Amino acid sequence: MLTFENVTFQYKEEDFSIIDHLSFHINKGEFVSIIGPSGCGKSTIFRLVNRLLGFKSGKILVDGAGIESQKHYCGYMPQQDMLFPWRSVADNVRLPLEIHGGFSDGEMDRRVELALASVGLGDWGRKSPGELSGGMRQRAAFARTVLTGSDLLLLDEPFSALDYLTRLTMREWLLEQWEQERKTVLFITHDVEEAVFLSSRILVAESMPITRLRSFQVPAGYPRTLETLKQPETLMLKEQLISLLRRDRL
């Protein structure tokens, strides 16, 4: 679904490449997390995929084709929910459909209604974003991302601003959504436990600049519960990842 081939990127104000000849791939239908030290360039990878930044050299392919020739090939959910306060929840969620164009008002209303119902917000469409809790706002933002119609979803620390108990609930909810839709998800997090719980595979940025992403398969199937994190194999992987990240910070 997503392939990086020797991709290099350098910010204009820097004298070095933050991403240097990076190659990796994400298979269709995978849930893959990227973890690594703060500021190492994880979010930059997302901005390259969605063309908010232009790479210096190499190739980025989605479904085997260069992203330069494609439209609407990925949905992007940043850390903040980015809901417009002057729009209702439903009007926020319908924004991708308005941008795409070609939909009647009735069809947009129908799709938004289904999307809100799928994330448990069927009765909240007429509310303003300020009337929603943090977890509800993130669910609305996720529904908006899904309505891009893309099979590739980029989720950049979507739960980082939530309290611990809400994060636990949102992790379980996100896995339910993924198991229903089977979209390809690339997920950035600083939380190793979160990465282990959600992912089929974890990519670790071991250094800066990022020259490679070390891949770890999560030894657990789906569906998952919090008990999954207590299994010896997943505990061992969690400790291995934490040790690796701690070593990189020394």
Side-chain angles (χ1 to χ4, degrees):
M1 173 59 75
L2 173 66
T3 302
F4 270 49
E5 294 183 358
N6 294 310
V7 174
T8 295
F9 171 78
Q10 179 177 334
Y11 285 104
K12 291 181 180 179
E13 60 272 17
E14 301 287 356
D15 58 1
F16 63 93
S17 297
I18 190 169
I19 294 173
D20 192 11
H21 293 89
L22 176 64
S23 296
F24 70 93
H25 72 277
I26 307 297
N27 295 318
K28 189 175 182 64
E30 274 194 300
F31 195 122
V32 177
S33 290
I34 300 178
I35 62 174
S38 296
C40 72
K42 300 184 299 297
S43 293
T44 300
I45 291 174
F46 275 18
R47 296 186 186 108
L48 292 174
V49 175
N50 61 30
R51 296 210 305 260
L52 290 176
L53 295 172
F55 48 96
K56 182 178 179 181
S57 61
K59 294 180 181 179
I60 300 177
L61 310 174
V62 172
D63 249 354
I67 58 174
E68 300 86 354
S69 61
Q70 300 192 58
K71 293 182 178 179
H72 315 309
Y73 57 88
C74 71
Y76 174 50
M77 182 176 170
Q79 296 177 31
Q80 293 79 28
D81 58 70
M82 305 294 286
L83 299 178
F84 295 127
W86 59 86
R87 280 183 167 237
S88 68
V89 173
D91 285 343
N92 269 284
V93 172
R94 73 186 281 158
L95 188 59
L97 302 177
E98 296 175 0
I99 293 172
H100 275 244
F103 299 101
S104 67
D105 287 341
E107 178 63 12
M108 284 193 287
D109 289 342
R110 185 186 72 82
R111 293 191 181 208
V112 168
E113 184 178 349
L114 289 174
L116 286 173
S118 73
V119 300
L121 296 176
D123 296 327
W124 292 82
R126 295 184 179 180
K127 302 287 186 179
S128 69
E131 297 178 84
L132 272 59
S133 67
M136 295 168 77
R137 290 173 66 102
Q138 290 303 94
R139 282 188 274 157
F142 181 79
R144 180 182 58 193
T145 305
V146 169
L147 280 186
T148 61
S150 307
D151 289 328
L152 173 63
L153 303 182
L154 311 176
L155 310 183
D156 190 352
E157 295 192 74
F159 308 144
S160 61
L162 304 178
D163 65 82
Y164 180 70
L165 291 178
T166 303
R167 286 183 72 160
L168 291 181
T169 301
M170 290 299 294
R171 292 174 194 174
E172 294 173 323
W173 170 83
L174 179 58
L175 270 191
E176 290 176 3
Q177 299 297 309
W178 175 74
E179 290 184 70
Q180 291 172 15
E181 300 288 337
R182 286 293 172 169
K183 301 278 189 180
T184 305
V185 174
L186 192 55
F187 187 94
I188 289 177
T189 179
H190 282 98
D191 189 328
V192 172
E193 181 179 285
E194 184 170 75
V196 171
F197 180 71
L198 290 171
S199 312
S200 52
R201 192 160 56 97
I202 298 171
L203 300 177
V204 182
E206 296 186 85
S207 62
M208 181 178 176
I210 299 177
T211 57
R212 73 164 183 154
L213 293 172
R214 187 173 173 185
S215 180
F216 293 84
Q217 202 74 31
V218 177
Y222 296 97
R224 292 180 185 171
T225 66
L226 292 178
E227 293 299 313
T228 303
L229 294 171
K230 300 178 182 179
Q231 295 174 358
E233 298 85 355
T234 51
L235 280 173
M236 188 179 301
L237 175 61
K238 177 183 171 181
E239 292 304 317
Q240 182 182 5
L241 294 172
I242 291 173
S243 296
L244 183 63
L245 293 176
R246 283 172 59 87
R247 186 192 69 195
D248 291 339
R249 295 185 66 175
L250 296 178

mmCIF file with all atom_site columns, all heavy atoms in Angstrom, residues 228-237:
data_model
loop_
_atom_site.group_PDB
_atom_site.id
_atom_site.type_symbol
_atom_site.label_atom_id
_atom_site.label_alt_id
_atom_site.label_comp_id
_atom_site.label_asym_id
_atom_site.label_entity_id
_atom_site.label_seq_id
_atom_site.pdbx_PDB_ins_code
_atom_site.Cartn_x
_atom_site.Cartn_y
_atom_site.Cartn_z
_atom_site.occupancy
_atom_site.B_iso_or_equiv
_atom_site.pdbx_formal_charge
_atom_site.auth_seq_id
_atom_site.auth_comp_id
_atom_site.auth_asym_id
_atom_site.auth_atom_id
_atom_site.pdbx_PDB_model_num
ATOM 1  N N   . THR A 1 228 ? -4.149 -9.005  26.600 1.00 0.00 ? 228 THR A N   1
ATOM 2  C CA  . THR A 1 228 ? -3.110 -9.289  25.607 1.00 0.00 ? 228 THR A CA  1
ATOM 3  C C   . THR A 1 228 ? -1.764 -8.721  26.047 1.00 0.00 ? 228 THR A C   1
ATOM 4  O O   . THR A 1 228 ? -0.715 -9.323  25.806 1.00 0.00 ? 228 THR A O   1
ATOM 5  C CB  . THR A 1 228 ? -3.503 -8.693  24.236 1.00 0.00 ? 228 THR A CB  1
ATOM 6  O OG1 . THR A 1 228 ? -4.776 -9.213  23.836 1.00 0.00 ? 228 THR A OG1 1
ATOM 7  C CG2 . THR A 1 228 ? -2.467 -9.043  23.177 1.00 0.00 ? 228 THR A CG2 1
ATOM 8  N N   . LEU A 1 229 ? -1.801 -7.566  26.707 1.00 0.00 ? 229 LEU A N   1
ATOM 9  C CA  . LEU A 1 229 ? -0.567 -6.912  27.131 1.00 0.00 ? 229 LEU A CA  1
ATOM 10 C C   . LEU A 1 229 ? 0.137  -7.667  28.252 1.00 0.00 ? 229 LEU A C   1
ATOM 11 O O   . LEU A 1 229 ? 1.299  -7.390  28.546 1.00 0.00 ? 229 LEU A O   1
ATOM 12 C CB  . LEU A 1 229 ? -0.864 -5.479  27.579 1.00 0.00 ? 229 LEU A CB  1
ATOM 13 C CG  . LEU A 1 229 ? -1.343 -4.516  26.480 1.00 0.00 ? 229 LEU A CG  1
ATOM 14 C CD1 . LEU A 1 229 ? -1.812 -3.206  27.091 1.00 0.00 ? 229 LEU A CD1 1
ATOM 15 C CD2 . LEU A 1 229 ? -0.247 -4.270  25.457 1.00 0.00 ? 229 LEU A CD2 1
ATOM 16 N N   . LYS A 1 230 ? -0.565 -8.607  28.889 1.00 0.00 ? 230 LYS A N   1
ATOM 17 C CA  . LYS A 1 230 ? 0.018  -9.358  29.995 1.00 0.00 ? 230 LYS A CA  1
ATOM 18 C C   . LYS A 1 230 ? 0.642  -10.679 29.542 1.00 0.00 ? 230 LYS A C   1
ATOM 19 O O   . LYS A 1 230 ? 1.256  -11.372 30.348 1.00 0.00 ? 230 LYS A O   1
ATOM 20 C CB  . LYS A 1 230 ? -1.052 -9.634  31.058 1.00 0.00 ? 230 LYS A CB  1
ATOM 21 C CG  . LYS A 1 230 ? -1.663 -8.377  31.654 1.00 0.00 ? 230 LYS A CG  1
ATOM 22 C CD  . LYS A 1 230 ? -2.752 -8.714  32.653 1.00 0.00 ? 230 LYS A CD  1
ATOM 23 C CE  . LYS A 1 230 ? -3.406 -7.458  33.208 1.00 0.00 ? 230 LYS A CE  1
ATOM 24 N NZ  . LYS A 1 230 ? -4.495 -7.785  34.170 1.00 0.00 ? 230 LYS A NZ  1
ATOM 25 N N   . GLN A 1 231 ? 0.468  -11.013 28.261 1.00 0.00 ? 231 GLN A N   1
ATOM 26 C CA  . GLN A 1 231 ? 1.038  -12.257 27.764 1.00 0.00 ? 231 GLN A CA  1
ATOM 27 C C   . GLN A 1 231 ? 2.561  -12.153 27.717 1.00 0.00 ? 231 GLN A C   1
ATOM 28 O O   . GLN A 1 231 ? 3.111  -11.079 27.417 1.00 0.00 ? 231 GLN A O   1
ATOM 29 C CB  . GLN A 1 231 ? 0.488  -12.566 26.367 1.00 0.00 ? 231 GLN A CB  1
ATOM 30 C CG  . GLN A 1 231 ? -1.004 -12.830 26.347 1.00 0.00 ? 231 GLN A CG  1
ATOM 31 C CD  . GLN A 1 231 ? -1.569 -12.984 24.953 1.00 0.00 ? 231 GLN A CD  1
ATOM 32 O OE1 . GLN A 1 231 ? -0.849 -12.861 23.957 1.00 0.00 ? 231 GLN A OE1 1
ATOM 33 N NE2 . GLN A 1 231 ? -2.862 -13.229 24.859 1.00 0.00 ? 231 GLN A NE2 1
ATOM 34 N N   . PRO A 1 232 ? 3.276  -13.239 28.027 1.00 0.00 ? 232 PRO A N   1
ATOM 35 C CA  . PRO A 1 232 ? 4.741  -13.181 28.104 1.00 0.00 ? 232 PRO A CA  1
ATOM 36 C C   . PRO A 1 232 ? 5.399  -12.646 26.838 1.00 0.00 ? 232 PRO A C   1
ATOM 37 O O   . PRO A 1 232 ? 6.358  -11.868 26.905 1.00 0.00 ? 232 PRO A O   1
ATOM 38 C CB  . PRO A 1 232 ? 5.131  -14.646 28.360 1.00 0.00 ? 232 PRO A CB  1
ATOM 39 C CG  . PRO A 1 232 ? 3.936  -15.249 29.001 1.00 0.00 ? 232 PRO A CG  1
ATOM 40 C CD  . PRO A 1 232 ? 2.757  -14.568 28.401 1.00 0.00 ? 232 PRO A CD  1
ATOM 41 N N   . GLU A 1 233 ? 4.880  -13.034 25.669 1.00 0.00 ? 233 GLU A N   1
ATOM 42 C CA  . GLU A 1 233 ? 5.499  -12.605 24.413 1.00 0.00 ? 233 GLU A CA  1
ATOM 43 C C   . GLU A 1 233 ? 5.364  -11.093 24.210 1.00 0.00 ? 233 GLU A C   1
ATOM 44 O O   . GLU A 1 233 ? 6.305  -10.432 23.753 1.00 0.00 ? 233 GLU A O   1
ATOM 45 C CB  . GLU A 1 233 ? 4.867  -13.339 23.225 1.00 0.00 ? 233 GLU A CB  1
ATOM 46 C CG  . GLU A 1 233 ? 5.042  -14.837 23.243 1.00 0.00 ? 233 GLU A CG  1
ATOM 47 C CD  . GLU A 1 233 ? 3.978  -15.546 24.080 1.00 0.00 ? 233 GLU A CD  1
ATOM 48 O OE1 . GLU A 1 233 ? 3.160  -14.834 24.727 1.00 0.00 ? 233 GLU A OE1 1
ATOM 49 O OE2 . GLU A 1 233 ? 3.970  -16.787 24.084 1.00 0.00 ? 233 GLU A OE2 1
ATOM 50 N N   . THR A 1 234 ? 4.180  -10.539 24.523 1.00 0.00 ? 234 THR A N   1
ATOM 51 C CA  . THR A 1 234 ? 3.982  -9.108  24.330 1.00 0.00 ? 234 THR A CA  1
ATOM 52 C C   . THR A 1 234 ? 4.729  -8.305  25.393 1.00 0.00 ? 234 THR A C   1
ATOM 53 O O   . THR A 1 234 ? 5.241  -7.215  25.117 1.00 0.00 ? 234 THR A O   1
ATOM 54 C CB  . THR A 1 234 ? 2.484  -8.742  24.342 1.00 0.00 ? 234 THR A CB  1
ATOM 55 O OG1 . THR A 1 234 ? 1.859  -9.300  25.508 1.00 0.00 ? 234 THR A OG1 1
ATOM 56 C CG2 . THR A 1 234 ? 1.787  -9.282  23.110 1.00 0.00 ? 234 THR A CG2 1
ATOM 57 N N   . LEU A 1 235 ? 4.799  -8.831  26.615 1.00 0.00 ? 235 LEU A N   1
ATOM 58 C CA  . LEU A 1 235 ? 5.585  -8.176  27.655 1.00 0.00 ? 235 LEU A CA  1
ATOM 59 C C   . LEU A 1 235 ? 7.062  -8.110  27.269 1.00 0.00 ? 235 LEU A C   1
ATOM 60 O O   . LEU A 1 235 ? 7.724  -7.085  27.466 1.00 0.00 ? 235 LEU A O   1
ATOM 61 C CB  . LEU A 1 235 ? 5.429  -8.918  28.982 1.00 0.00 ? 235 LEU A CB  1
ATOM 62 C CG  . LEU A 1 235 ? 4.163  -8.638  29.793 1.00 0.00 ? 235 LEU A CG  1
ATOM 63 C CD1 . LEU A 1 235 ? 4.082  -9.577  30.987 1.00 0.00 ? 235 LEU A CD1 1
ATOM 64 C CD2 . LEU A 1 235 ? 4.121  -7.182  30.255 1.00 0.00 ? 235 LEU A CD2 1
ATOM 65 N N   . MET A 1 236 ? 7.548  -9.199  26.683 1.00 0.00 ? 236 MET A N   1
ATOM 66 C CA  . MET A 1 236 ? 8.942  -9.242  26.267 1.00 0.00 ? 236 MET A CA  1
ATOM 67 C C   . MET A 1 236 ? 9.213  -8.221  25.173 1.00 0.00 ? 236 MET A C   1
ATOM 68 O O   . MET A 1 236 ? 10.237 -7.515  25.193 1.00 0.00 ? 236 MET A O   1
ATOM 69 C CB  . MET A 1 236 ? 9.297  -10.647 25.780 1.00 0.00 ? 236 MET A CB  1
ATOM 70 C CG  . MET A 1 236 ? 10.783 -10.861 25.506 1.00 0.00 ? 236 MET A CG  1
ATOM 71 S SD  . MET A 1 236 ? 11.116 -12.571 24.966 1.00 0.00 ? 236 MET A SD  1
ATOM 72 C CE  . MET A 1 236 ? 10.487 -13.487 26.386 1.00 0.00 ? 236 MET A CE  1
ATOM 73 N N   . LEU A 1 237 ? 8.291  -8.114  24.212 1.00 0.00 ? 237 LEU A N   1
ATOM 74 C CA  . LEU A 1 237 ? 8.459  -7.134  23.139 1.00 0.00 ? 237 LEU A CA  1
ATOM 75 C C   . LEU A 1 237 ? 8.414  -5.718  23.700 1.00 0.00 ? 237 LEU A C   1
ATOM 76 O O   . LEU A 1 237 ? 9.233  -4.860  23.320 1.00 0.00 ? 237 LEU A O   1
ATOM 77 C CB  . LEU A 1 237 ? 7.366  -7.316  22.083 1.00 0.00 ? 237 LEU A CB  1
ATOM 78 C CG  . LEU A 1 237 ? 7.346  -6.264  20.962 1.00 0.00 ? 237 LEU A CG  1
ATOM 79 C CD1 . LEU A 1 237 ? 8.646  -6.279  20.172 1.00 0.00 ? 237 LEU A CD1 1
ATOM 80 C CD2 . LEU A 1 237 ? 6.150  -6.496  20.032 1.00 0.00 ? 237 LEU A CD2 1
#
